[in-house]
């Protein structure tokens, strides 16, 4: 608590109630954390200047305390208000630039000896606990950027992210992402629509699009042929109806092989019955 005793002694004449002592304590915590008091009230004045001391009129209103602070290393301004409600003191600390507000409720009897207001050594009770509450609940974090510093950090983060993306795109050994980039998808022509219809008939076994599935269909090659219809059947080979009308049919033997005339095998060669021939 170095420095608090000097401050308390300087303002001892204005301390007439326990809430004055608590406000003095919270003021010193702000000073220790890099802020300086620039005046009292809500509005700026021409006489404002940075100081570690409390302004002369800081305790005129025992029901509502209002003090303004400014950070040492930036233009950040803070407005501290303390409202007395029965035996408690409610603090509100607002950042004038961002309008962010933090608050702290202090039970006065837990931290101040009412009958020892003018004896610094015994006026505060459990000062370490009160100091910890002010730091964790009321004061903004020391590493939290504000104002222009926050904007600069945001821009720097965006630039670093852009550089990282460019590095990934230019790395020849990088495995591409499973998620494709957003954009227009390539147009793939329908293989069943001319002029990209090559092989399309192979996907149409029943010939509903015209033509068989083979590149050179023996039954639809374009050359003159007899009126052979496989759906009517092939004598001694394929019964009628075995091939649906219009379906592709690949003959498994010469069509009409049972031609009239002598059987080429009707005269066996000499010694045919000799198994050792």
């Amino acid at each position: 608590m170095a420095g608090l005793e000097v401050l308390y002694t300087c303002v001892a004449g204005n301390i007439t109630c326990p809430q004055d002592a608590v406000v003095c304590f919270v003021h010193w915590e702000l000073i220790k954390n890099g802020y300086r008091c620039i005046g009292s009230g809500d509005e700026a004045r021409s006489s404002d200047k940075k100081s570690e001391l409390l302004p002369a009129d800081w305790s005129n209103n025992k029901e509502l305390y209002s003090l303004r602070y400014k950070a040492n290393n930036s233009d950040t301004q803070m407005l501290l208000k303390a409202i007395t409600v029965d035996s408690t003191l409610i603090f509100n600390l607002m950042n004038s630039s961002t309008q962010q507000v933090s608050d702290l409720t202090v039970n006065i009897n837990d931290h101040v000896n009412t009958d020892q207001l003018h004896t610094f050594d015994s006026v505060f009770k459990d000062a370490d606990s009160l100091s910890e509450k002010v730091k964790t609940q009321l004061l903004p974090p020391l590493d939290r950027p504000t104002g222009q510093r926050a904007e600069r950090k945001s821009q720097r983060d965006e630039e670093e992210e852009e550089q990282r993306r460019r590095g990934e795109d230019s790395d020849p050994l990088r495995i591409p992402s499973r998620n494709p980039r957003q954009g227009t998808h390539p147009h793939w022509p329908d293989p069943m629509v001319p002029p990209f219809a090559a092989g399309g008939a192979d996907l149409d076994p029943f010939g509903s699009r015209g033509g068989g599935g083979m590149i050179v269909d023996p039954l639809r090659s374009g050359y003159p042929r007899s009126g052979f219809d496989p759906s009517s059947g092939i004598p001694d080979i394929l019964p009628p109806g075995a091939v649906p009308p219009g379906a592709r049919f690949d003959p498994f033997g010469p069509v009409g092989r049972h031609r009239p005339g002598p059987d080429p095998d009707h005269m066996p060669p000499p010694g045919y019955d000799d198994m050792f021939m």
Side-chain angles (χ1 to χ4, degrees), residues 26-201:
V26 172
H27 165 82
W28 180 242
E29 288 295 334
L30 282 164
I31 298 301
K32 286 197 306 179
N33 283 270
Y35 294 92
R36 294 294 181 266
C37 187
I38 57 176
S40 60
D42 298 347
E43 302 295 333
R45 303 175 185 175
S46 59
S47 59
D48 288 348
K49 64 177 182 178
K50 292 182 179 181
S51 175
E52 293 184 0
L53 300 177
L54 284 162
D57 57 349
W58 69 276
S59 63
N60 287 351
N61 188 343
K62 305 297 182 180
E63 302 297 326
L64 175 62
Y65 299 82
S66 182
L67 298 168
R68 288 175 288 109
Y69 296 84
K70 193 171 185 178
N72 263 341
N73 55 359
S74 70
D75 295 331
T76 302
Q77 294 192 23
M78 311 295 288
L79 175 62
L80 176 69
K81 288 193 175 184
I83 303 173
T84 303
V85 180
D86 296 331
S87 61
T88 62
L89 200 57
I90 301 174
F91 288 91
N92 287 304
L93 184 64
M94 183 183 72
N95 186 317
S96 300
S97 301
T98 64
Q99 304 299 312
Q100 293 181 342
V101 179
S102 57
D103 58 81
L104 170 67
T105 300
V106 177
N107 190 325
I108 298 174
N109 296 327
D110 290 344
H111 299 285
V112 176
N113 287 312
T114 305
D115 55 350
Q116 300 289 332
L117 292 180
H118 297 288
T119 306
F120 176 78
D121 292 339
S122 55
V123 64
F124 293 110
K125 298 187 295 185
D126 198 6
D128 291 337
S129 173
L130 180 57
S131 176
E132 185 65 21
K133 289 180 180 179
V134 174
K135 292 177 183 177
T136 58
Q137 300 182 35
L138 188 64
L139 295 179
L142 294 177
D143 58 348
R144 179 182 298 170
T146 55
Q148 296 179 354
R149 287 189 299 166
E151 183 178 355
R152 287 196 297 267
K153 182 177 180 181
S154 177
Q155 292 178 351
R156 185 170 62 252
D157 291 343
E158 292 179 359
E159 292 175 356
E160 291 177 354
E161 177 67 17
E162 181 63 24
Q163 291 178 357
R164 185 186 65 80
R165 290 177 181 173
R166 291 177 180 176
E168 290 180 351
D169 292 341
S170 61
D171 186 358
L173 301 180
R174 178 176 173 269
I175 299 176
S177 172
R178 292 179 179 270
N179 297 324
R181 293 183 177 273
Q182 299 295 330
T184 305
H185 295 284
H187 172 71
W188 298 104
D190 187 352
M192 305 303 292
V193 177
F196 303 99

